Amino acid sequence: DASTRLGATAAGLILATMVRFSREASNPTKSCKAMGADLRVHYKNTYETARAIKGLSLAVARKYLQDVCEKKRCIPFRKYVGTCGRTAQAKEFKLTQGRWPIKSAKVLLGLLKNAESNAEFKNLDTETLKIWHIAVHEAQQGRRRTYRAHGRIGPYCSCPCHVEMILQEDAEPVEAAKEDVKPKRFTKKQLAMRRLKVGGDQCGGGV
């Protein structure tokens, strides 16, 4: 009936809104996607973690995040650096500030695993996949309360986030086609100037 059709249409609109990405892959047939909405991880930590793995291959990104979880390597903080401590591990990136956001790293590892499964479903070569696009957006804050002195109540908010990523097969290098070099054409004035430059040193003055 009409109510059922309206409900199905509304559900379809909600689903379409949820899976909309901020950009599309340049080659959809050679790419795969993964997305997480309202993830209970800090937005700022996840932003810096995602920025650190952008452009890496799937295997390299997974190994890097595993090293972060074991505190062998750090995530360099470039944007949200307020009250961020310094570590010698940030020298690898020619920076001084870094952290080990283990929760964010584990969430991104799960998304990479999901993207790899999607790539295998599309029969893509997972060994050549690279993180072509990754974005972290702020989600609606979760509101709780904390109890202050003199009977007051203060806000106690969480800062969750949405994460989206697109992995794409690394394109094989293609040699540029050789173009025919056309002979240069000069005006009469340019030819006269060139003759003057060439013969200027030879026709010296003096008797």
Side-chain angles (χ1 to χ4, degrees), residues 1-205:
D1 58 341
S3 60
T4 307
R5 286 199 299 270
L6 285 173
T9 305
L13 288 173
I14 293 171
L15 185 62
T17 306
M18 288 176 62
V19 297
R20 185 174 59 193
F21 280 63
S22 59
R23 67 182 302 183
E24 292 299 325
S26 59
N27 189 358
T29 59
K30 296 290 185 181
S31 62
C32 60
K33 298 178 179 179
M35 188 178 195
D38 292 304
L39 301 174
R40 290 294 302 272
V41 283
H42 289 176
Y43 160 73
K44 293 182 180 180
N45 288 345
T46 311
Y47 173 90
E48 297 289 358
T49 309
R51 187 174 180 176
I53 64 172
K54 184 178 180 180
L56 301 181
S57 66
L58 179 62
V60 173
R62 184 185 289 127
K63 180 67 170 62
Y64 176 42
L65 292 177
Q66 288 171 351
D67 288 344
V68 170
C69 291
E70 297 172 5
K71 296 194 175 182
K72 295 179 180 177
R73 298 170 71 186
C74 77
I75 296 292
F77 273 53
R78 306 170 190 270
K79 182 178 180 180
Y80 300 108
V81 295
T83 68
C84 180
R86 294 175 291 178
T87 174
Q89 291 182 2
K91 291 180 182 178
E92 176 186 354
F93 311 97
K94 297 184 178 179
L95 295 170
T96 57
Q97 292 171 290
R99 281 179 177 167
W100 300 266
I102 295 175
K103 194 172 179 181
S104 297
K106 288 182 177 179
V107 165
L108 290 180
L109 278 171
L111 284 175
L112 287 175
K113 186 176 181 181
N114 181 249
E116 185 180 16
S117 300
N118 294 340
E120 291 172 352
F121 181 77
K122 293 178 70 174
N123 294 323
L124 300 180
D125 186 7
T126 56
E127 294 183 358
T128 60
L129 286 176
K130 280 193 172 181
I131 302 174
W132 180 75
H133 163 73
I134 185 167
V136 181
H137 305 292
E138 290 184 74
Q140 184 176 3
Q141 288 188 343
R143 296 190 64 85
R144 290 183 292 167
R145 57 175 62 178
T146 183
Y147 300 93
R148 314 300 297 269
H150 310 296
R152 291 174 300 146
I153 291 177
Y156 206 72
C157 300
S158 62
C159 299
C161 61
H162 310 304
V163 182
E164 61 183 49
M165 62 173 66
I166 299 176
L167 277 67
Q168 192 164 289
E169 284 186 356
D170 198 12
E172 296 180 359
V174 180
E175 293 184 2
K178 295 182 180 179
E179 297 181 358
D180 296 332
V181 180
K182 297 181 180 179
K184 293 183 180 179
R185 302 181 67 179
F186 299 98
T187 62
K188 291 182 179 180
K189 185 175 181 181
Q190 288 174 332
L191 289 171
M193 293 292 292
R194 288 170 66 87
R195 283 197 298 269
L196 184 63
K197 286 181 180 178
V198 171
D201 297 336
Q202 298 175 356
C203 51

